[in-house]
Amino acid sequence: MFKRLPIVPTILVVVAAAIMVSLGFWQIGRAQEKDRLKLAMEERPALPVIDYPFADATNEEYLYRRLRADCDAVTGIDVSGGMDAAGRTGWRQIASCTNAATGQVFQVQIGVAKDPGEVSQWQGGPVEGVAKESPDNRSALERMFSGGVRRPAMIVASEPKAGLLPSQAPNPEEYRNSSWAYAGQWFFFAITALVIYGFALRSRAGKRA
């Protein structure tokens, strides 16, 4: 039977199914991570406020904790889409700050603007708010193949700066973990591809008989 298998189509189907299965396991990993982070969103904001962990800013244990830090100099402000505390679409302003005591750079989401052309002139100062991961500007393929790369914590300021609107805080009630469903879909696609190919081979063998 195996001698009669068409080599190229079989290789293509098996490779495609293997890729789908790999994507399914990748989504399972993402789903487990999202479940952990959802639990952290629920529990950690109530913990005591701590200083920004410059020595270990990528440690997941600090996400959704209340952090404080001194922004002694603003080296730049990035603008990207986001939402304000009222759930309205706007343009969040993310300041890159330098801390004089450590010489290290960290990010602060200082608020949300209504106008995409509005860029805050905030010059820095003390900040406090809930920590979340700084933005990930990598493509989906880069995120998939580069593994679990942790990004430094970014402070989402509780009090907006320079007349901006307050930012939307992480809300576990609005958290949707769709990765479990995506994982199931990839496994279903892989099985479906193999089953359909099996029927095609069976039909092909029947015509030859």
Side-chain angles (χ1 to χ4, degrees):
M1 175 180 176
F2 290 105
K3 293 182 179 179
R4 299 179 181 177
L5 287 177
I7 297 176
V8 174
T10 300
I11 291 175
L12 291 176
V13 171
V14 170
V15 169
I19 292 174
M20 293 177 197
V21 170
S22 298
L23 288 170
F25 281 114
W26 177 64
Q27 287 290 355
I28 287 177
R30 284 178 54 81
Q32 292 172 336
E33 179 182 9
K34 289 179 180 180
D35 283 344
R36 290 195 304 270
L37 293 179
K38 181 180 180 179
L39 182 62
M41 283 188 211
E42 297 171 338
E43 297 179 343
R44 293 179 185 171
L47 297 176
V49 61
I50 59 175
D51 293 330
Y52 186 91
F54 288 104
D56 200 9
T58 59
N59 191 330
E60 185 184 297
E61 293 181 3
Y62 296 105
L63 291 180
Y64 309 113
R65 288 289 305 263
R66 294 192 62 81
L67 303 180
R68 61 182 167 228
D70 288 324
C71 178
D72 297 304
V74 177
T75 59
I77 294 181
D78 293 326
V79 178
S80 61
M83 303 185 76
D84 66 17
R88 296 168 298 200
T89 302
W91 301 90
R92 59 180 181 167
Q93 313 262 314
I94 299 175
S96 295
C97 292
T98 300
N99 177 261
T102 63
Q104 296 193 35
V105 175
F106 66 103
Q107 290 185 306
V108 180
Q109 184 171 317
I110 58 175
V112 177
K114 294 181 180 179
D115 185 352
E118 178 183 349
V119 180
S120 171
Q121 300 301 313
W122 185 59
Q123 299 299 309
V127 291
E128 182 178 316
V130 175
K132 63 184 296 184
E133 276 192 318
S134 56
D136 189 351
N137 298 320
R138 297 174 300 162
S139 67
L141 286 176
E142 287 176 321
R143 290 195 298 270
M144 184 174 68
F145 290 109
S146 60
V149 177
R150 289 290 174 195
R151 301 186 303 282
M154 175 180 71
I155 297 177
V156 180
S158 299
E159 297 294 333
K161 309 298 182 181
L164 296 172
L165 298 172
S167 301
Q168 184 180 60
N171 184 359
E173 295 301 322
E174 299 177 358
Y175 200 94
R176 297 291 182 269
N177 190 351
S178 56
S179 290
W180 288 113
Y182 291 150
Q185 288 177 354
W186 283 118
F187 291 136
F188 174 77
F189 293 155
I191 293 172
T192 301
L194 293 174
V195 169
I196 291 175
Y197 188 61
F199 279 123
L201 291 177
R202 184 177 179 180
S203 175
R204 180 173 179 269
K207 291 180 181 179
R208 285 191 171 187

